[in-house]
Amino acid sequence: MSKASFTSRRAPIHHYVLAVLLGAILTIAVSVLVGASNPGDFWLAAGIGALCSAYPAMSLGARVFVSNNTVTRDAQGGQGVEVQWMRQAGAGAFLDILVATIVIAGVLAVGRFQVETLPVLLGLVGLSALDAGLRYLAIRHRALK
């Protein structure tokens, strides 16, 4: 492969500088907030906050300032087979959760049961995630057979 057939896409230097500056500002802001929330051990808490937020902050800076110049978007990226499988799984799971919610609400109304709302909602969220995941695996298994 010759050097001429390869095109390097690089962002202007000032975009990299802006990415690092944004990352540093966000890291400092998070570390000061974490340190302020624990005034007894300000420096320890601020250091832990900085360590935890540095990578996400720098990544955000790179995403905002650099990736628009260096990443080529796939014009048909949303039409992949995996995306179709996820959409089918999500649509089926939505209908399952809708029916489950109606049945649960009906049972609770007819039976006049008193239940806490939070566990029921968390159960529905967990059920929806499990349902979508199992549906995705079933769709994938059928397609790859």
Side-chain angles (χ1 to χ4, degrees):
M1 184 184 275
S2 69
K3 216 177 192 183
S5 65
F6 223 140
T7 57
S8 173
R9 290 177 40 126
R10 298 190 55 88
I13 264 309
H14 68 277
H15 284 242
Y16 292 98
V17 172
L18 289 171
V20 170
L21 284 174
L22 177 64
I25 289 168
L26 291 175
T27 300
I28 291 168
V30 168
S31 66
V32 167
L33 286 172
V34 171
S37 71
N38 191 0
D41 290 321
F42 177 85
W43 292 110
L44 177 63
I48 291 171
L51 287 174
C52 291
S53 64
Y55 181 77
M58 293 296 172
S59 296
L60 179 62
R63 170 68 178 99
V64 169
F65 292 110
V66 177
S67 68
N68 290 334
N69 296 311
T70 59
V71 175
T72 304
R73 301 222 184 264
D74 185 4
Q76 298 177 350
Q79 297 175 4
V81 68
E82 292 88 2
V83 174
Q84 291 175 4
W85 294 343
M86 285 189 283
R87 285 184 182 143
Q88 289 174 356
F94 172 77
L95 290 176
D96 290 347
I97 296 304
L98 182 64
V99 169
T101 303
I102 292 169
V103 169
I104 290 170
V107 168
L108 291 175
V110 170
R112 297 187 187 269
F113 296 110
Q114 298 290 327
V115 295
E116 292 288 324
T117 308
L118 184 61
V120 173
L121 290 176
L122 290 175
L124 285 172
V125 169
L127 180 63
S128 66
L130 180 66
D131 188 0
L134 290 175
R135 280 180 170 275
Y136 175 81
L137 289 175
I139 291 168
R140 181 177 177 263
H141 178 72
R142 270 188 268 133
L144 295 178
K145 250 184 163 180

